[in-house]
Amino acid sequence: TMVGTPPNIIVAELLSGRGVEPFGLFAFTPVGLLILVGGIVYMITIGRKLLPARSIDSSLTVSKDLAKVYELHERLFSIRVPKKSPLDGKTLRETGLRTTLKVHVVSILRNGRQQLAPEPDSMIKGGDVLLVEGRLNDVQQLVRVQGVEVQKTRIGELPRPVRGVSGVRARVVKGSAIVGKSLKELSFRKQFGLLVVGIMRDGTVIKGHLGDEILKEGDDLLGLGTTAQLNELADDENFSVREVGLTAVRQLQEHVFLVRISEESPLVGTTVGSGRIGELVGLMVGGIIREGHTRLAVAPDEVIQAGDTFLVTGEPSRIIDLLEMGGLDLDADVPEPTIESDEIGIIEAVVAPRSSCLGSTLKDLAFRDRFGLQVLAIWRDGRPIRTQLAHMKLKFGDALLLQGPRKKIRQLVKEPDFVVLSRTAQVPRRTRKAPFAVAGLFVMIGMVVTGWMPIHVAAFTAASLVLLAKTLTMEEAYRAIEWRAIFLVAAVLPVGIAMERTGASVMLASFVTDFAGPLGPYAILGSLVILSSLLSQGLDGAPAVVLLTPVVMQLATELDISPYPLMMGISLAASAAFMTPFSQKANLLVMGAGGYRSADYLRVGTPLTILLLILLTFLVPVFFPF
């Protein structure tokens, strides 16, 4: 029908604005039905064979299956808080379990009673058993770090090494082969033996996660090393040594720390590599001080001894937080953990098309505080991601596995930024009001078919009646409006007017005439529907129609043919956008739930688009002759 898509409505209005009789409400029906049949035949024959053969659970809306699909139970274990633990009397927010141990607290078991999805302000008491989701092996390694002592040091006060330690500030020169690569990719430590303690860029010193930092021209590497190592760096053509001596790295001395291994530490007897201090805590182990000497070359298989002191750079806040936690008992054997109840639910929600959350991280959104739900995992590119969620930028098609109070889940259903897929979370239908909605629809159809009112007046009248009958609230009506499409069309309309007034539409019409004119009107129609569809793959369908209307009207005048088949063609072609996931919201909505990728839309959607454009080219003139 004419009200089926925005391009159809806009085509009718643009015709009316030019003094031409617009399309009727059911003018699109004959061609639309044939396109529908063609699309169905394609999908049940060729299309389904082109779909990806990925294993996607068909019952994603059931919470037990959700936990299975996201492989949640494999990462559940328990932490017992001792009676006299430093955590006793603190809230979950104050304990810092989420940031320090990288775990999500799913429930708290206290005196035989379970509290699911605890709030950040929930109190922890000695004897509590916390059911958490995370990496058990990582937490076990982190707990072993508790037998250490942390203290600041001044670079100049380090014990004298066997061969001497000095600092260097080396600049990455223009045209260097290392630009665009990270220190880890370059195996920088292995190649030069230097400990990079910071990277100075545009007057700012970068101190954390240096191994993954992509190097740029003009970066200054601040490092510690022996004289021989500094000389080797000075001879390398990729660097220009700007300063030598401990003064080169003096400004970083507030970020150089000593970590002393006590005799009782669980790390004693393990190797530097197996201890994973740097990987898990975010610190860079630069050297080891043993028997009064500083040694910068520390191999991963170096055995840690009692009394050893590690020279580390970065922010030791996580180690300090670990020390303040005290002892924790870990248990991997969790018998069939319960993660939902009558009050607490597990649901899946997809980031909505054109969501304001796109490009933001969960941390940026303060997601837990804002929505009252915690994100346990994110489904992206056909697989679940369960680590570093707070720092992941949300993308279209992402599906979030959420846990929280059911009342908060029902509130999320009303949020325009997310589409809740789980049926259990849907708001109960107001079936008593259904007759008023149906009546509004027939009122609109009756007004348009009888010619009593134009479509926009009839639609407004019907919508007003539906609202007055309280079939839906004003807030629901407001959110149902596709505001982006309205503003996009409003922004493109002046461009269409400018095309007419500047002669751009005449130029484009002449180009189409010269190219397809000699082949007849079918070739012209085919060219226009292809152009309309291609514009809609990256642009919205409605603006494509607005831009092409001046060209169509100019062509119809020059060739002395009816504008109706051309306008009908570009209108329906503007909705034939199946080659990309972001061309229309229907494509986006199924992306996360179906586990699809952009390449899947191109593979399945391209033949479908070609088929429908061929059908349009030959079917439209049957009902709307040239």
Side-chain angles (χ1 to χ4, degrees):
T1 64
M2 184 173 64
V3 294
T5 62
N8 295 3
I9 300 173
I10 290 171
V11 159
E13 288 301 308
L14 290 174
L15 283 172
S16 179
R18 284 170 168 74
V20 180
E21 182 69 23
F23 290 117
L25 182 64
F26 297 105
F28 297 84
T29 304
V31 183
L33 285 174
L34 293 171
I35 289 176
L36 174 63
V37 172
I40 292 174
V41 171
Y42 167 80
M43 285 307 302
I44 63 176
T45 54
I46 301 171
R48 68 188 183 96
K49 295 179 181 179
L50 298 175
L51 288 170
R54 301 189 191 103
S55 178
I56 300 296
D57 197 305
S58 61
S59 53
L60 288 175
T61 55
V62 181
S63 51
K64 285 185 179 179
D65 293 327
L66 277 176
K68 182 180 178 182
V69 170
Y70 281 83
E71 301 170 6
L72 200 60
H73 291 305
E74 298 176 11
R75 292 168 51 91
L76 290 174
F77 59 95
S78 65
I79 297 176
R80 190 179 66 82
V81 180
K83 285 289 184 182
K84 296 183 179 180
S85 169
L87 301 183
D88 190 357
K90 290 186 176 181
T91 64
L92 274 179
R93 182 182 280 112
E94 291 170 339
T95 62
L97 286 167
R98 192 183 188 95
T99 54
T100 305
L101 297 183
K102 302 297 183 184
V103 295
H104 300 283
V105 179
V106 177
S107 69
I108 300 174
L109 182 64
R110 180 182 302 155
N111 300 326
R113 299 183 62 182
Q114 191 175 38
Q115 179 187 354
L116 288 172
E119 297 289 333
D121 294 325
S122 298
M123 190 76 70
I124 299 294
K125 293 186 178 181
D128 284 352
V129 177
L130 312 179
L131 180 65
V132 301
E133 186 267 337
R135 288 183 176 177
L136 175 61
N137 185 52
D138 287 358
V139 176
Q140 288 173 330
Q141 295 289 348
L142 283 168
V143 171
R144 294 171 68 182
V145 177
Q146 291 183 322
V148 303
E149 300 171 9
V150 180
Q151 67 182 72
K152 287 187 177 183
T153 185
R154 301 184 70 83
I155 291 177
E157 297 172 356
L158 292 175
R160 298 305 297 170
V162 176
R163 299 179 62 188
V165 172
S166 188
V168 65
R169 180 165 64 91
R171 180 163 296 174
V172 179
V173 300
K174 187 176 182 180
S176 170
I178 68 173
V179 171
K181 298 180 180 179
S182 66
L183 295 175
K184 187 182 293 183
E185 289 177 287
L186 296 169
S187 300
F188 188 88
R189 183 75 184 274
K190 183 178 181 180
Q191 183 177 351
F192 296 101
L194 287 171
L195 166 65
V196 177
V197 294
I199 299 176
M200 183 179 290
R201 179 179 297 157
D202 300 328
T204 303
V205 178
I206 303 169
K207 301 178 286 290
H209 302 287
L210 299 179
D212 298 318
E213 192 68 35
I214 302 299
L215 297 178
K216 299 180 179 180
E217 289 183 1
D219 282 353
D220 283 350
L221 304 186
L222 309 177
L224 294 172
T226 63
T227 303
Q229 291 166 345
L230 299 187
N231 289 336
E232 184 179 350
L233 184 71
D235 293 336
D236 194 285
E237 61 182 9
N238 293 304
F239 300 98
S240 169
V241 174
R242 318 294 289 185
E243 190 177 2
V244 177
L246 291 179
T247 54
V249 291
R250 187 76 65 184
Q251 59 189 306
L252 287 173
Q253 62 187 10
E254 292 298 319
H255 301 278
V256 177
F257 296 85
L258 298 179
V259 175
R260 185 178 181 278
I261 309 299
S262 67
E263 293 184 2
E264 298 79 19
S265 173
L267 293 174
V268 174
T270 64
T271 62
V272 173
S274 65
R276 299 170 65 196
I277 295 177
E279 177 189 345
L280 295 175
V281 187
L283 299 176
M284 182 175 288
V285 180
I288 187 170
I289 301 173
R290 184 179 291 169
E291 298 177 355
H293 293 291
T294 303
R295 183 154 51 92
L296 296 182
V298 182
D301 57 358
E302 179 81 35
V303 178
I304 299 173
Q305 301 178 13
D308 281 352
T309 301
F310 288 107
L311 175 66
V312 300
T313 60
E315 301 292 345
S317 56
R318 283 190 71 192
I319 286 188
I320 295 172
D321 290 341
L322 279 167
L323 298 179
E324 291 177 349
M325 280 186 180
L328 298 172
D329 299 327
L330 309 180
D331 187 4
D333 297 323
V334 183
E336 281 302 313
T338 303
I339 56 177
E340 63 170 345
S341 65
D342 292 339
E343 294 79 26
I344 302 298
I346 297 286
I347 62 153
E348 187 179 38
V350 173
V351 181
R354 291 107 189 185
S355 169
S356 62
C357 299
L358 291 174
S360 300
T361 65
L362 296 176
K363 186 177 181 181
D364 295 336
L365 297 170
F367 192 92
R368 180 70 185 268
D369 295 332
R370 180 177 170 185
F371 299 107
L373 302 168
Q374 67 174 338
V375 181
L376 301 179
I378 294 177
W379 189 278
R380 177 179 292 177
D381 294 333
R383 65 183 184 88
I385 301 172
R386 298 173 297 262
T387 57
Q388 301 292 327
L389 300 181
H391 304 289
M392 282 181 61
K393 291 187 176 181
L394 296 178
K395 302 194 310 187
F396 65 83
D398 282 351
L400 280 58
L401 183 67
L402 305 171
Q403 182 202 36
R406 295 191 186 276
K407 62 179 182 180
K408 295 291 186 182
I409 291 174
R410 286 191 288 270
Q411 291 175 11
L412 186 71
V413 174
K414 301 176 183 178
E415 285 290 335
D417 290 325
F418 297 94
V419 178
V420 177
L421 301 182
S422 304
R423 285 190 294 269
T424 55
Q426 301 303 324
V427 176
R429 300 182 186 277
R430 300 189 287 268
T431 52
R432 291 189 304 107
K433 298 290 186 178
F436 296 99
V438 175
L441 174 64
F442 280 111
V443 165
M444 182 189 74
I445 293 174
M447 289 179 175
V448 176
V449 171
T450 59
W452 186 24
M453 289 186 181
I455 181 65
H456 56 277
V457 178
F460 181 80
T461 303
S464 300
L465 291 174
V466 169
L467 282 170
L468 290 172
K470 296 184 179 179
T471 304
L472 72 167
T473 65
M474 281 297 297
E475 183 181 8
E476 290 169 336
Y478 179 83
R479 287 179 173 175
I481 298 173
E482 188 70 44
W483 293 106
R484 179 183 178 275
I486 291 174
F487 286 111
L488 195 57
V489 171
V492 174
L493 275 172
V495 179
I497 296 171
M499 287 177 63
E500 288 185 289
R501 294 183 178 176
T502 59
S505 60
V506 176
M507 183 180 69
L508 287 172
S510 299
F511 176 77
V512 174
T513 303
D514 294 341
F515 175 75
L519 301 176
Y522 279 93
I524 292 175
L525 177 59
S527 301
L528 289 172
V529 297
I530 291 172
L531 186 56
S532 178
S533 180
L534 289 177
L535 284 173
S536 300
Q537 303 299 332
L539 198 62
D540 207 79
V545 169
V546 173
L547 291 174
L548 287 177
T549 295
V551 179
V552 167
M553 300 306 291
Q554 183 66 35
L555 275 170
T557 302
E558 289 184 4
L559 300 175
D560 193 26
I561 61 177
S562 170
Y564 289 113
L566 304 184
M567 292 296 283
M568 177 64 71
I570 65 168
S571 174
L572 294 176
S575 298
F578 313 112
M579 296 165 64
T580 63
F582 42 82
S583 54
Q584 54 174 294
K585 64 181 180 181
N587 294 2
L588 278 176
L589 285 175
V590 301
M591 189 175 187
Y596 299 127
R597 299 169 186 165
S598 296
D600 298 328
Y601 289 87
L602 191 64
R603 183 171 57 253
V604 180
T606 302
L608 176 60
T609 302
I610 294 172
L611 170 64
L612 296 188
L613 295 186
I614 292 172
L615 287 175
L616 281 175
T617 303
F618 291 99
L619 287 176
V620 168
V622 173
F623 300 96
F624 300 93
F626 293 110

